[in-house]
Amino acid sequence: MVETTLTPSLQLLSEQCRDFIKSLIHADVAHDITHIERVVRVAIQLCNAEKANMAVVLPAAWLHDCVAVAKNHPDRAKASTMAADKAIGFLQGLGYDEGLFEDIHHAIAAHSFSANIAIKTVEAQIVPVSYTHLRAHETDSYL
């Protein structure tokens, strides 16, 4: 579990996102729950440091890989947008604040370099930076 100092409502959201991710079958073992938890941990740290909107960063970090597309699949460049769409559907089902959906969608869609989507917000910068940071330091002891 990700240790944080989140508000109770964001802690509940974090648990709901984690449960949702764990319910999915991922073909890509490099993006298992421990990888996603690490991304979330780094994203929370960066969000706090940058004074970004945690209500956007937290679900984007949890849900950024909720759709798995094989690296050699012709739709690979669309995977992050498909994940963003799926994430918004999940968040709608929770009754999450719809006013945040555009920024959450953008943060997830723009996290993938192969999608070639220009990053427009500080929140959208955090998920790919967290992910890239982990690719360089993928150990629990580092975090």
Side-chain angles (χ1 to χ4, degrees):
M1 192 68 162
V2 176
E3 293 181 27
T4 65
T5 55
L6 298 173
T7 64
S9 62
L10 287 176
Q11 184 61 43
L12 176 61
L13 174 67
S14 185
E15 292 167 9
Q16 291 168 319
C17 287
R18 184 179 192 280
D19 290 345
F20 175 67
I21 292 300
K22 284 184 73 174
S23 75
L24 302 175
I25 298 171
H26 281 286
D28 184 357
V29 294
H31 294 91
D32 66 1
I33 191 66
T34 54
H35 162 80
I36 294 169
E37 287 173 337
R38 291 176 185 140
V39 170
V40 170
R41 240 180 278 148
V42 173
I44 289 169
Q45 292 170 357
L46 290 172
C47 185
N48 287 330
E50 296 297 323
K51 298 184 180 10
N53 187 346
M54 189 68 74
V56 171
V57 171
L58 185 68
W62 273 115
L63 304 171
H64 75 278
D65 277 334
C66 68
V67 170
V69 177
K71 298 234 184 258
N72 61 350
H73 193 280
D75 288 336
R76 179 66 180 162
K78 299 176 188 174
S80 64
T81 299
M82 293 187 305
D85 293 344
K86 185 172 186 168
I88 296 304
F90 168 71
L91 294 169
Q92 285 173 326
L94 296 179
Y96 200 63
D97 183 352
E98 292 184 15
L100 300 172
F101 287 173
E102 183 177 338
D103 287 343
I104 294 167
H105 191 280
H106 174 64
I108 295 171
H111 95 273
S112 173
F113 297 111
S114 63
N116 201 26
I117 296 172
I119 293 175
K120 299 176 185 174
T121 65
V122 67
E123 290 80 12
Q125 291 175 351
I126 290 173
V127 175
V129 168
S130 300
Y131 180 84
T132 303
H133 175 79
L134 283 175
R135 298 313 285 166
H137 306 284
E138 193 86 53
T139 66
D140 278 332
S141 61
Y142 181 77
L143 301 173

